């Protein structure tokens, strides 16, 4: 992930943290709003920079001489001169750059809701994330995702994962635009089997005791 | 929950809500027209037959948890989880002989509170009331909240509106019709739920075979089909004991034992348990098929509706809406009726107004039903999610009441010291294990501690209880 993307991701979290509305959906609306406002701003800046570049290259002239109005010609008897055409083109371009809707900026990378360090003693976990576009969720046993398997693709912001055996699992989100989340690591270490078997035995004994008590009592009824 | 997960058009949802609301209220008024006394209202005249009895036992036990949480159990804990949830059927099955015993020992009884008061005295009764009201009220709140949340998730109906309508409908027909209306509507609701679950199960099997499901689970969720899955193994008996504790102590079931005609109770609970047993397995199977059907699950409690909507489309969404609505209504009405009867009989009549006449008691029970409904509504409106999860704290509390009840019904030497110590120690140690180990051991440990204390106290006790003391007028 590029440094600038990380910085933008951190910026995007601020509205969520200061938001009174609960739930990821409310957060996502704010997130999208913040992102689109940033995008519009960035695009206008880019347009200005482009105009400036053209100016420096001499293709568009914003010199005082060119911008100052000439004496009007109520009945032009010839084609307008080239500098006037250039000025017109420049003004139209500038107006277009300022007035036309900004093109969407590239979306930021998806982010895990809880930082990306997960642990489970039951083999199941609810994965939650924030993303401004559809994502693909992948799981792998290898840290380099060489054996990655796709779990989900779509616009949801959570996925319930269950039935995992002991071990370490690596999870990753990829936005539709291609940007990747930081990998999350899920550590699964199931409860002690010995404890489970002992408690099962205790449960069996209690149940047998209840059944025996009822059965003996009911027999005398 | 996201907006994307709404399965049904809201206008269809509102229409279904209106149709079933009118139906239940109409039936409640119809069945309640002959209620004159408290006995008619609270115990349906002690004359409920086998068909209605079996249906109400099964339907009341089919809560929204059965249709929504059983698939979640299967998705989290696999095959064992599915079986663990079904173990709650033993609550009904083992209550069958108890129901016969209760009816024999307490021919004039009204509530489970009557049993604790007469059998173990005021202190044990006080602890029982504390435990059972905690359990009943949190169950009621969790059901009402679940109703609002599920209607919003399924059809986009606003949470407060959905919760208010479900609660209001149940309060109106329970107030008007009493236990008779509750049992009658339960009969229809149980038929709808069972037919719905069976149809959905077969529809899932039309789309994917058992072999495909097994292959998918083995490849992607291996622990779900693993025989030695620790958490799932612990959940089996924990859930069984939680279920036993819920049924054995709660007035929902005792009121039915008193309401069923002579000789009906044991058969009705046995049939109800056997009918209920496969339902969590069918619901759980739906969840296990989610992977093979490529249904992504954004939240475990929505796996059932998502798979059904995926398989059956709009028809499935309508079906799950109706099933959920019936499941909620069949549990909320029973809880309202049983809890209002408990408060009317154990607190108003026994503590405050012993001379109250039957017509007054009926009116008091109706007002308490209304108060319970309004109170539950007020608690549910802010939608504090953690309130619903408080119900799970009740696992060790209800587990700790199993042995005092079973021995109290069959052993003359079962003592008050045993019952009080068993409930307090079992409940306390069970709660500690809930927080230190997990929910899947709390009931087992709570019941084990209670059992040791109750058996020890009974062994040392020199008291021999006179059964005639339970035959109070």
């Amino acid at each position: 992930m590029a440094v600038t993307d990380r910085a933008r991701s951190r910026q995007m979290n601020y509205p969520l943290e200061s938001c009174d509305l609960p739930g990821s959906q409310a957060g996502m609306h704010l997130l999208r709003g913040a992102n689109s406002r940033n995008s519009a701003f960035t695009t206008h800046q880019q347009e200005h920079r482009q105009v400036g570049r053209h100016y420096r290259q001499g293709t568009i002239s914003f010199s005082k001489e060119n911008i100052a109005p000439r004496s009007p010609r109520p009945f032009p008897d010839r084609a307008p001169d080239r500098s006037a055409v250039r000025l017109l083109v420049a003004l139209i371009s500038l107006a277009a750059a300022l007035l036309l809707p900004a093109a969407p900026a590239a979306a930021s990378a998806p982010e895990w809701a809880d930082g990306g360090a997960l642990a489970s003693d039951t083999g199941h976990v609810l994965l939650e994330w924030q993303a401004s576009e559809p994502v693909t969720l992948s799981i792998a046993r290898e840290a380099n995702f060489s054996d990655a398997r796709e779990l989900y693709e779509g616009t949801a912001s959570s996925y319930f994962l269950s039935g995992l055996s002991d071990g370490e699992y690596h999870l990753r989100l990829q936005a539709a635009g291609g940007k990747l989340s930081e990998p999350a690591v899920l550590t699964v270490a199931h409860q002690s089997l010995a404890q489970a078997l002992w408690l099962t035995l205790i449960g069996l004994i209690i149940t047998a005791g209840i059944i025996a008590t009822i059965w003996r009592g009911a027999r005398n009824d | 929950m996201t907006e994307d997960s709404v399965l049904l058009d809201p206008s269809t949802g509102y229409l279904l809500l209106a149709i079933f609301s009118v139906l239940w209220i109409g039936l409640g008024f119809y069945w309640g027209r002959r209620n004159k006394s408290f006995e008619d209202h609270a115990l349906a005249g002690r004359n409920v037959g086998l068909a209605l009895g079996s249906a109400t036992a099964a339907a009341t036990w089919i809560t929204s948890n059965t249709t929504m949480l059983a698939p979640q159990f299967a998705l989290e804990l696999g095959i064992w989880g599915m079986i663990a949830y079904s173990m709650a059927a033993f609550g009904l099955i083992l209550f069958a002989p108890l129901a016969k015993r209760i009816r024999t020992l307490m021919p004039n009884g009204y509530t489970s509170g009557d049993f604790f008061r007469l059998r173990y005295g005021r202190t044990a009764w006080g602890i029982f009331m504390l435990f059972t009201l905690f359990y009943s009220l949190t169950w009621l709140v969790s059901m009402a909240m679940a109703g609002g949340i599920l209607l919003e998730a399924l059809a986009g109906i606003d949470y407060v509106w959905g919760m208010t309508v479900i609660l209001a409908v149940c309060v109106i027909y329970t107030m008007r019709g009493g236990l008779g209306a509750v049992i009658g509507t339960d009969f229809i609701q149980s038929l709808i739920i069972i037919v719905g679950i069976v149809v959905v199960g077969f529809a899932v099997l039309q789309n994917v075979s058992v072999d495909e499901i097994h292959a998918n689970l083995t490849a992607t969720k291996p622990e779900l089909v693993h025989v030695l899955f620790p958490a799932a193994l612990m959940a089996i008996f924990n859930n069984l004991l939680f279920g036993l504790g819920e049924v054995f102590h709660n007035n929902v079931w005792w009121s039915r034992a008193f309401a069923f005609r002579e000789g009906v109770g044991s058969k009705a609970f046995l049939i109800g348990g056997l009918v209920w047993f496969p339902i969590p397995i069918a619901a759980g199977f739906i969840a296990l098929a989610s992977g093979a059907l490529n249904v992504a699950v954004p939240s475990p409690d929505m796996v059932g509706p998502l798979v059904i909507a995926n398989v059956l489309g709009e028809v499935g969404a309508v079906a799950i809406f109706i099933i959920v609505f019936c499941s909620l209504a069949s549990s909320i009405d029973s809880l309202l009726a049983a809890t209002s009867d408990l408060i009317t009989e154990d607190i108003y009549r026994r503590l405050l107004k012993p001379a109250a006449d039957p017509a007054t008691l009926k009116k008091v029970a109706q007002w308490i039903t209304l108060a319970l409904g309004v109170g539950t509504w007020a608690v549910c409106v802010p939608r504090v999610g953690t309130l619903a999860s408080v119900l799970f704290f009740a696992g060790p509390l209800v587990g700790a009441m199993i042995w005092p009840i079973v021995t109290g019904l069959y052993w003359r030497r079962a003592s008050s010291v045993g019952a009080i110590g068993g409930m307090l120690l079992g409940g306390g140690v069970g709660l500690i294990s809930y927080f230190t180990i997990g929910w899947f051991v709390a009931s087992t440990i709570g019941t084990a501690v209670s059992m040791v204390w109750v058996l020890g106290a009974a062994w040392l006790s020199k008291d021999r209880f006179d059964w005639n003391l339970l035959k109070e007028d």
Side-chain angles (χ1 to χ4, degrees), chain B residues 25 162-174 332 336 373 377:
Chain B
I25 290 173
M163 183 269 294
T164 305
V165 170
I166 286 186
L167 209 46
V169 168
C170 291
V171 166
I172 291 168
Y173 77 74
T174 306
I332 291 173
L336 284 169
W377 181 86

Side-chain angles (χ1 to χ4, degrees), chain B residues 67-402:
Chain B
T67 49
M68 308 298 283
L69 193 60
Q72 182 178 341
F73 249 59
L75 192 66
E76 290 178 353
L77 300 175
I79 306 283
W80 279 130
M82 203 164 72
I83 293 169
Y85 205 98
S86 285
M87 288 290 132
F90 283 95
L92 294 181
I93 292 168
L94 290 177
F95 193 68
L98 296 190
K100 184 182 175 191
R101 180 77 173 163
I102 289 164
R103 188 72 201 249
T104 307
L105 291 178
M106 302 176 70
N108 307 314
Y110 279 89
T111 67
S112 47
D114 283 340
F115 168 75
F116 268 87
R117 180 174 48 80
L118 296 168
R119 181 67 180 84
Y120 292 126
R122 289 273 182 203
T123 308
W125 171 83
I127 297 166
F128 161 80
M129 287 296 282
L130 201 67
F131 282 16
T132 195
L133 285 177
F134 173 79
Y135 166 81
S136 299
L137 295 176
T138 50
W139 187 15
L140 191 55
V141 167
S142 74
M143 285 292 109
M145 281 183 73
I149 292 168
L150 287 172
L151 296 193
E152 187 176 69
L154 292 171
I157 293 171
D158 177 68
Y159 163 78
V160 175
W161 272 106
M163 183 269 294
T164 305
V165 170
I166 286 186
L167 209 46
V169 168
C170 291
V171 166
I172 291 168
Y173 77 74
T174 306
M175 272 183 79
R176 186 69 182 85
L179 189 65
V182 169
I183 289 175
T185 50
D186 277 358
F187 181 75
I188 300 170
Q189 287 155 358
S190 66
L191 290 178
I192 292 172
I193 294 165
I194 291 165
V195 170
I197 295 277
V198 169
V199 168
V200 166
F202 277 107
V204 169
L205 275 175
Q206 294 295 311
N207 283 267
V208 61
S209 70
V210 174
D211 288 343
E212 286 173 278
I213 294 169
H214 185 263
N216 175 270
L217 291 174
T218 308
T220 62
K221 301 176 192 292
E223 207 66 20
L224 298 189
V225 287
H226 189 206
V227 177
L228 297 175
F229 182 175
L233 285 174
M234 287 188 275
I236 296 171
F237 283 101
N238 187 76
N239 220 50
L240 190 152
L241 294 170
F242 194 165
L244 287 189
E246 284 180 283
V247 176
F248 282 16
H249 93 278
N250 199 267
N251 196 48
V252 165
W253 310 102
W254 282 68
S255 63
R256 280 159 175 73
F258 292 124
F260 293 164
R261 199 180 298 148
E262 190 78 43
V264 164
S266 55
K267 291 175 197 156
F269 281 107
L270 181 62
I271 293 169
L274 293 175
V275 167
W276 190 88
F277 183 78
I279 290 173
I281 292 180
F285 169 74
I286 291 166
L288 292 181
S290 62
L293 288 166
N294 281 322
V295 176
V297 181
S299 169
D301 54 0
M302 283 302 289
V303 62
L306 286 171
V307 172
I308 292 167
N310 179 276
V311 170
L312 289 172
E314 183 84 5
V315 176
V318 170
I320 192 70
F321 186 95
I322 294 171
I323 290 170
V324 164
F325 189 75
C326 290
S327 310
L328 287 162
S330 66
S331 301
I332 291 173
D333 61 5
S334 299
L335 267 169
L336 284 169
T339 310
S340 79
D341 295 345
L342 188 74
I343 295 170
T344 306
E345 164 69 10
D346 283 69
I347 296 175
Y348 181 79
R349 183 183 183 192
R350 297 294 172 188
L351 287 183
L352 303 175
K353 298 274 183 189
D357 61 81
T360 307
L361 288 172
K362 182 193 159 194
K363 274 186 186 164
V364 169
Q366 288 175 317
W367 282 109
I368 290 173
T369 303
L370 180 63
L372 282 171
V374 172
T376 304
W377 181 86
V379 172
C380 289
V381 166
R383 196 175 176 171
V384 181
T386 47
L387 278 175
S389 61
V390 170
L391 177 64
F392 295 107
F393 295 169
L397 303 185
V398 301
M401 288 191 276
I402 294 173

Side-chain angles (χ1 to χ4, degrees), chain A residues 23-25 29 121-124 126-128 149 151-153 155-166 169 190-211 213-221, chain B residues 1-4 72 74-77 90 94-95 97-98 100-101 104 217 219-224 228-231 233-234 236-237 240-241 244 248 295-300 402-403 406-407 410-411 437-438 440-441 443-445 447-449 451:
Chain A
S24 60
Q25 193 64 20
H29 286 308
D121 61 4
T122 50
H124 59 76
L126 181 65
L127 304 170
E128 293 177 287
R149 176 168 61 87
L151 289 174
Y152 170 74
E153 186 178 358
T155 56
S157 56
S158 61
Y159 183 88
F160 186 70
L161 187 57
S162 66
L164 299 176
S165 305
D166 280 346
Y169 298 84
H190 280 277
Q191 299 262 343
S192 154
L193 182 60
Q195 173 190 278
L197 292 173
W198 272 113
L199 282 165
T200 305
L201 182 65
I202 291 170
L204 183 66
I205 292 168
I206 298 168
T207 307
I210 293 167
I211 293 171
T213 306
I214 294 173
W215 184 72
R216 286 189 62 182
R219 203 176 49 176
N220 299 330
D221 254 357
Chain B
M1 196 58 54
T2 65
E3 288 168 25
D4 299 337
Q72 182 178 341
L75 192 66
E76 290 178 353
L77 300 175
F90 283 95
L94 290 177
F95 193 68
L98 296 190
K100 184 182 175 191
R101 180 77 173 163
T104 307
L217 291 174
T220 62
K221 301 176 192 292
E223 207 66 20
L224 298 189
L228 297 175
F229 182 175
L233 285 174
M234 287 188 275
I236 296 171
F237 283 101
L240 190 152
L241 294 170
L244 287 189
F248 282 16
V295 176
V297 181
S299 169
I402 294 173
W403 279 95
V406 172
T407 54
Y410 288 113
W411 294 358
I437 303 174
F440 36 78
V441 299
S443 297
T444 306
I445 292 176
T447 313
V449 171
M451 173 182 162

Side-chain angles (χ1 to χ4, degrees), chain A residues 16-79:
Chain A
L16 262 182
E17 286 165 7
S18 60
C19 169
D20 287 330
L21 293 170
S24 60
Q25 193 64 20
M28 286 303 294
H29 286 308
L30 285 171
L31 208 63
R32 289 191 189 110
N35 193 28
S36 61
R37 281 195 295 276
N38 283 346
S39 306
F41 176 69
T42 309
T43 309
H44 284 306
Q45 281 183 320
Q46 285 166 348
E47 293 290 351
H48 282 300
R49 279 198 293 272
Q50 279 178 346
V51 171
R53 191 162 58 245
H54 289 307
Y55 170 69
R56 283 192 297 277
Q57 288 168 355
T59 51
I60 300 174
S61 170
F62 283 119
S63 67
K64 191 176 178 183
E65 180 190 356
N66 286 338
I67 294 173
R70 293 166 184 263
S71 56
R73 291 180 182 172
F75 304 102
D77 53 0
R78 62 181 174 89

